[in-house]
Amino acid sequence: MPSKKVVTDSGIEINKLYTAKDVPASNAGNDLPGEFPFTRGVQPDMYRGKLWTMRQYAGFSTAEESNKRYHYLLSQGVMGLSVAFDLPTQIGYDSDHALSEGEVGKVGVAIDCLDDMETLFKGIELEKVSTSMTINSTGFILLALYVALAKKQGADLTKITGTIQNDILKEYAARGTYIYPPKPSMRIITDIFEWCSNELPKWNTISISGYHIREAGSTAVQEIAFTLSNGKAYVQAALAKGLDINVFGKRLSFFFNAHNNLFEEVAKFRAARKMWAQIMKELGATDEKALMLRFHTQTGGATLTAQQPHNNISRVTIQTLAAVLGGTQSLHTNGYDEALSLPTEEAARIALRTQQIVAFESGAADTVDPLAGSYFIESLTNEVEQKAWDIINKIDAIGGSVAAIEEGYMQDQIAQSAYEYQRNIESGEKIIVGVNQFTVDKEIAVPGFKIDESIRSIQSEKLAQLRAKRNNVKVNECLAAITKTAKGTENLMPFVIEAVENNCTLGEIADTLRSVYGEFK
């Protein structure tokens, strides 16, 4: 009787047995870590030299509440902060705007102005901590606020480290928190590249994100194909602006998802590094650091189940191992209760301890790329790579990522994959433990994290006080300067920094650009 056909969610058929015959010569695991094409890692000694940065993504309610959680996480051994912003902040509305109602402080922290940013990082020296900010369409404003705060603290800007996500293309394709049309959005992003190259040399100016593409329902192969294709579009836009690929190329970083298929995920990370090195080489990069794909990973939010939520601890552990065996530079682990609410303090601590157990007890960090040379892993790395190249070649034929998004190609592909995945769960072909198999009659209640509903009125009151005490003549001058610059070709960043230093709000700056660029529908 023939054995059952086993296929990954990316449509890769898995053999019953792998031998040396299944490994192409180009993927035999012979290349060395720290050397082109970096399949085996970007550092020759990987975690023996330095462990990945253990981040915990947090942000909710007011800046005061989030600041308390940051101090708690730092006390528990977190090495870097990762900030979640609420929906109004993400789409450029102040907390007192009519469209902000019901959303203030819900999925992240509300940040309206420099005072909020100062409260968010109270007691935290920006020169001593690496901060990642998950923000896209208003990324330039949040970066300006961070820089203004660093200057207030007397920090040396050349020592400030961190990342803004700043990846607008995946917003059009998968997530939806865009404001302006693609072309002006790309202009803002290349302005950030240019300004940071000169003023903030250690800051990662973009985190090209496959995470949300995967959360929207893509496969592992689509995740890296669409993400690398978007990365290519950003590089081409920066080159068209006359920027040096060997300078800005070193500050590009990526953000990937880690799901439950351990081996496919490891193969995905290895393939992505190899492919990006080849893409950058073809685009003209010669500096080794500009050829390296460095990435942050977050465990899969979409894999967490509301049913039997404690099972999510096991899922997150597998995903943590996948990220570490795949060579991530930084990692956030989800709380087991996040299918129900924002993580409680207990869930956040267990998530961090999961990383620490993998780092210090599992042996996974003891040697570089421990799965290299495995017939299965090398064959799978090659298959993931080939399938991803097929998709990238299709996107190139359409005219690149911007054209593919405008035509709806990426959105349609993601929707189709999401549909197939859900259909396989409903038919029972794909087993999700505790959901369609191994269920229980009575669920044990898990206490959720509650957000205070009065946050919007608190933020609105603060905004009213700010508008009353600031120099409104200066505010109008700053906003007029942004309008003029947006219509011209000068770099926007210095004008936005000056605006936030003079207490212009996030919503006012976003609206000023809405009046110039319009909104993407």
Side-chain angles (χ1 to χ4, degrees):
M1 186 175 144
S3 64
K4 182 175 167 251
K5 186 175 170 181
V6 176
V7 181
T8 72
D9 294 331
S10 296
I12 295 170
E13 189 173 347
I14 302 299
N15 301 344
K16 186 171 70 176
L17 175 72
Y18 286 81
T19 68
K21 290 197 212 67
D22 297 296
V23 182
S26 63
N27 261 71
N30 297 329
D31 52 329
L32 292 172
E35 291 180 11
F36 183 87
F38 310 105
T39 316
R40 301 196 58 196
V42 293
Q43 303 294 345
D45 55 356
M46 281 309 283
Y47 306 132
R48 285 177 73 124
K50 180 176 179 262
L51 283 173
W52 62 93
T53 301
M54 295 181 195
R55 292 190 188 279
Q56 280 309 108
Y57 187 46
F60 51 86
S61 175
T62 58
E64 289 87 347
E65 288 302 313
S66 294
N67 177 262
K68 284 179 200 165
R69 177 68 68 92
Y70 293 155
H71 280 285
Y72 170 75
L73 289 169
L74 289 166
S75 76
Q76 294 299 305
V78 154
M79 305 166 185
L81 297 173
S82 192
V83 187
F85 298 96
D86 73 356
L87 202 53
T89 304
Q90 291 180 49
I91 53 177
Y93 293 118
D94 289 332
S95 297
D96 59 358
H97 192 284
L99 291 175
S100 299
E101 193 166 350
E103 293 296 342
V104 178
K106 287 287 171 69
V107 297
V109 62
I111 298 292
D112 292 316
C113 59
L114 185 54
D115 285 355
D116 287 340
M117 203 65 158
E118 209 163 344
T119 305
L120 186 66
F121 289 100
K122 192 178 177 186
I124 298 167
E125 288 181 59
L126 300 193
E127 224 179 85
K128 292 184 178 170
V129 69
S130 163
T131 303
S132 168
M133 295 190 276
T134 305
I135 195 78
N136 297 284
S137 54
T138 54
F140 67 106
I141 306 173
L142 271 301
L143 178 61
L145 287 163
Y146 196 81
V147 168
L149 177 59
K151 284 163 73 177
K152 253 185 133 171
Q153 287 187 355
D156 177 351
L157 292 187
T158 64
K159 291 181 182 163
I160 295 290
T161 61
T163 307
I164 38 171
Q165 191 163 98
N166 196 28
D167 173 8
I168 203 66
L169 292 178
K170 68 95 177 53
E171 294 297 327
Y172 302 117
R175 192 161 169 268
T177 65
Y178 44 74
I179 304 173
Y180 317 111
K183 287 188 176 66
S185 293
M186 294 294 273
R187 179 252 167 109
I188 294 169
I189 286 166
T190 54
D191 276 4
I192 293 169
F193 287 0
E194 182 180 53
W195 187 83
C196 289
S197 293
N198 300 320
E199 307 295 333
L200 218 63
K202 288 191 172 173
W203 189 265
N204 295 325
T205 50
I206 193 166
S207 175
I208 304 155
S209 174
Y211 185 85
H212 304 96
I213 289 170
R214 191 69 176 280
E215 288 293 288
S218 82
T219 66
V221 165
Q222 286 170 333
E223 181 190 348
I224 61 165
F226 294 157
T227 307
L228 298 183
S229 189
N230 288 349
K232 195 170 164 180
Y234 292 123
V235 172
Q236 287 165 332
L239 289 171
K241 198 180 172 87
L243 303 185
D244 184 345
I245 193 168
N246 287 320
V247 177
F248 76 80
K250 294 176 193 172
R251 303 293 4 137
L252 305 176
S253 67
F254 288 80
F255 173 26
F256 290 121
N257 209 315
H259 272 223
N260 290 328
N261 189 325
L262 179 69
F263 300 108
E264 186 178 42
E265 294 300 296
V266 173
K268 175 188 83 179
F269 297 132
R270 298 173 89 246
R273 266 194 301 270
K274 184 180 179 189
M275 293 170 75
W276 185 245
Q278 287 168 267
I279 287 169
M280 287 297 273
K281 196 173 188 181
E282 280 167 23
L283 290 169
T286 51
D287 187 307
E288 205 162 67
K289 284 200 160 55
L291 298 165
M292 291 178 181
L293 180 143
R294 294 162 304 116
F295 66 99
H296 169 70
T297 310
Q298 182 174 336
T299 58
T303 67
L304 301 175
T305 63
Q307 300 91 331
Q308 300 177 37
H310 289 102
N311 293 344
N312 294 328
I313 297 172
S314 303
R315 292 186 177 101
V316 169
T317 305
I318 291 166
Q319 294 162 9
T320 301
L321 266 174
V324 170
L325 293 172
T328 194
Q329 275 60 68
S330 147
L331 179 61
H332 162 85
T333 32
N334 290 330
Y336 68 83
D337 55 359
E338 286 189 64
L340 302 164
S341 69
L342 288 170
T344 55
E345 215 164 77
E346 182 207 38
R349 184 176 64 246
I350 291 170
L352 176 61
R353 293 290 180 259
T354 303
Q355 293 199 50
Q356 291 163 335
I357 289 165
V358 169
F360 300 108
E361 297 184 28
S362 75
D366 292 352
T367 188
V368 185
D369 193 19
L371 296 184
S374 146
Y375 301 142
F376 179 34
I377 281 293
E378 295 299 348
S379 171
L380 197 51
T381 300
N382 187 61
E383 282 219 55
V384 168
E385 183 192 346
Q386 293 314 314
K387 280 184 174 287
W389 279 128
D390 290 346
I391 295 171
I392 289 174
N393 292 337
K394 264 185 209 160
I395 292 168
D396 285 347
I398 293 167
S401 270
V402 177
I405 287 164
E406 286 173 342
E407 278 192 26
Y409 169 75
M410 287 191 195
Q411 299 92 311
D412 291 347
Q413 294 296 304
I414 294 166
Q416 184 59 37
S417 296
Y419 172 74
E420 291 291 332
Y421 183 80
Q422 191 57 37
R423 200 177 64 173
N424 289 338
I425 291 171
E426 285 172 16
S427 70
E429 202 172 313
K430 183 168 188 69
I431 293 170
I432 306 292
V433 173
V435 175
N436 61 357
Q437 283 251 22
F438 316 112
T439 55
V440 290
D441 293 331
K442 195 169 186 294
E443 290 281 351
I444 297 165
V446 171
F449 188 88
K450 295 279 184 285
I451 294 286
D452 184 349
E453 291 295 332
S454 66
I455 292 156
R456 183 165 183 252
S457 53
I458 294 167
Q459 285 297 110
S460 299
E461 180 59 33
K462 281 195 217 162
L463 280 165
Q465 288 170 5
L466 175 81
R467 291 189 182 114
K469 74 175 187 189
R470 68 187 184 178
N471 179 342
N472 285 300
V473 172
K474 189 69 188 164
V475 164
N476 292 331
E477 284 171 9
C478 289
L479 296 175
I482 289 173
T483 301
K484 188 182 169 197
T485 310
K487 288 175 179 173
T489 56
E490 221 178 325
N491 195 300
L492 274 163
M493 281 306 295
F495 297 94
V496 178
I497 292 165
E498 188 184 5
V500 300
E501 286 175 332
N502 283 284
N503 293 312
C504 293
T505 69
L506 171 125
E508 288 164 347
I509 296 167
D511 278 348
T512 299
L513 290 184
R514 276 186 181 95
S515 70
V516 179
Y517 297 141
E519 291 190 77
F520 182 70
K521 294 283 189 281

